[in-house]
Amino acid sequence: MDLNIFANRRDKLKRLLKDRKLPALIVSHAANRYYLSGFELHDSQCNESSGWLLITADGPDFLFTDPRFHDAAKRLWNEDDICIYSARRLQTIAEFIKGKGYDTVCFEPQAMSLFDYEGLKETLTLQAAKELVEELRVKKDEDEIRRLRSSIDLNHRLFSYIEDRLIPGRTEKEIAWDIEKFFRENGAQELAFSTIVGVGPNAALPHCVPSDEPLRDGELVLIDTGCRLHDYNSDQTRTFWVGDKPSDRFKKVLEMVQGAQQAAIDVLRPGLSLHDGWKAAWDYLDQRGVAEHFTHGLGHGVGLETHEPPRLSKVAQGTLEPGMLVTVEPGLYWGDWGGIRWEHEVLITDNGCQVL
């Protein structure tokens, strides 16, 4: 692991803090912690933290964690700048920060619980600073793009593999397990998210949970899945027909979904508003009288998290920039029939975009 990558990212955050006249930032969001330090991509439990960082504008940076992670922290961080807490976690952190001369610090309001906030504010003055690290993460560097390409390539291999296993009588759960085994047996660290497998009308549920529902000849099946490889996620959706002769309705809806996807990809470029990326797909479907069945946003960023900024949607604000990576995943859904979604991951380049 090249620790200079993380140091360079912290330097960029320090410059951002200086530009905004902010003294220091408590980093409590797990993905942001890893992005800046290489330390613990996940929190240990859903109601626990593996640790926090304090990134200062003009001084040393500090890592806070508990004794379980002390040895792991020392492999990545100057031991003199590690604070180990135990039962008195919040009091220890607050007193440590105050002892370093910081009475006022910023925090990530999207990632800090009210319990932690209330505990820290007994000692510190806290100032919300929304998505500072995400401003850096939104544009992927060369190392991140390399890792993302590997993850996406494995996802493509998965779909080539799984298509031959879509046999009538096999269940949604069995297909989901085939997918998870394939990813793990081919080097993935874990699933990027719980795999979605929806047969027939279940495919109209955008986040369908796999069940014992069997695949049937002459019916569609939607699969949305991804893996984490080299710490970065992939996320792709495909919709397949079970059997030799896809119905006319399936072919027509698939053609419209893929047409909407291509309409969006054709306009994605630096400077385009996030809203207009979504609108290109929406207008394509609206012209064909089916836009009311496109019930979600067009896409989202993918990286250390499966869903991260930027987002392409009706209400999205901001513009595309080189280095952003977004999904483009229009879908059409009918509750009594099913749904079709088709998803690519697209890198914004200096003069357009590239489907990965």
Side-chain angles (χ1 to χ4, degrees), residues 46-236:
C46 64
N47 60 344
E48 295 181 7
S49 172
S50 299
W52 292 352
L53 304 175
L54 181 74
I55 308 300
T56 69
D58 54 7
D61 303 320
F62 304 96
L63 188 156
F64 305 92
T65 191
D66 69 50
R68 294 173 297 170
F69 300 99
H70 194 182
D71 286 340
K74 288 190 293 184
R75 297 182 182 186
L76 300 164
W77 208 263
N78 179 0
E79 188 169 8
D80 291 339
D81 296 327
I82 298 173
C83 174
I84 301 297
Y85 51 74
S86 54
R88 298 167 60 251
R89 177 175 66 95
L90 296 174
Q91 186 176 350
T92 300
I93 291 173
E95 290 176 353
F96 182 95
I97 292 173
K98 192 174 183 69
K100 296 297 180 181
Y102 296 95
D103 295 317
T104 299
V105 292
C106 299
F107 71 100
E108 299 176 310
Q110 74 277 18
M112 182 174 287
S113 70
L114 180 60
F115 177 85
D116 288 343
Y117 174 85
E118 293 287 349
L120 292 176
K121 77 171 189 175
E122 294 177 3
T123 305
L124 302 170
T125 299
L126 300 175
Q127 177 181 345
K130 185 179 179 182
E131 295 189 339
L132 280 181
V133 183
E134 284 80 357
E135 287 187 36
L136 305 179
R137 285 176 51 198
V138 74
K139 293 192 288 185
K140 279 32 181 193
D141 59 35
E142 291 183 5
D143 179 70
E144 290 180 292
I145 292 171
R146 177 181 58 80
R147 293 166 184 256
L148 283 161
R149 285 184 186 275
S150 295
S151 187
I152 292 166
D153 287 347
L154 183 54
N155 217 140
H156 284 305
R157 289 170 52 198
L158 174 279
F159 278 121
S160 296
Y161 163 82
I162 205 65
E163 188 169 9
D164 293 334
R165 303 183 71 82
L166 302 178
I167 300 169
R170 304 196 71 225
T171 67
E172 294 171 342
K173 283 183 178 179
E174 288 173 336
I175 299 303
W177 179 234
D178 285 345
I179 289 169
E180 184 167 358
K181 286 193 296 183
F182 178 90
F183 278 141
R184 294 300 296 264
E185 290 170 356
N186 286 274
Q189 296 156 266
E190 60 184 343
L191 292 174
F193 54 93
S194 295
T195 293
I196 297 165
V197 182
V199 173
N202 286 348
L205 306 173
H207 284 186
C208 175
V209 177
S211 69
D212 291 321
E213 188 76 13
L215 278 66
R216 292 175 286 270
D217 188 51
E219 200 163 17
L220 61 82
V221 56
L222 182 151
I223 300 174
D224 187 347
T225 191
C227 68
R228 186 186 300 280
L229 181 62
H230 306 309
D231 296 325
Y232 281 76
N233 292 310
S234 58
D235 179 7
Q236 297 174 9

Side-chain angles (χ1 to χ4, degrees), residues 336-348:
D336 60 347
W337 177 73
I340 294 179
R341 185 164 66 252
W342 204 265
E343 181 177 13
H344 288 325
E345 288 169 273
V346 178
L347 176 68
I348 307 303

Side-chain angles (χ1 to χ4, degrees), residues 220 241 244-259 337 340:
L220 61 82
W241 185 260
D244 297 329
K245 296 181 179 180
S247 71
D248 290 341
R249 183 176 186 180
F250 178 86
K251 291 187 288 186
K252 181 179 180 181
V253 174
L254 178 59
E255 181 181 8
M256 288 190 292
V257 168
Q258 291 179 327
W337 177 73
I340 294 179

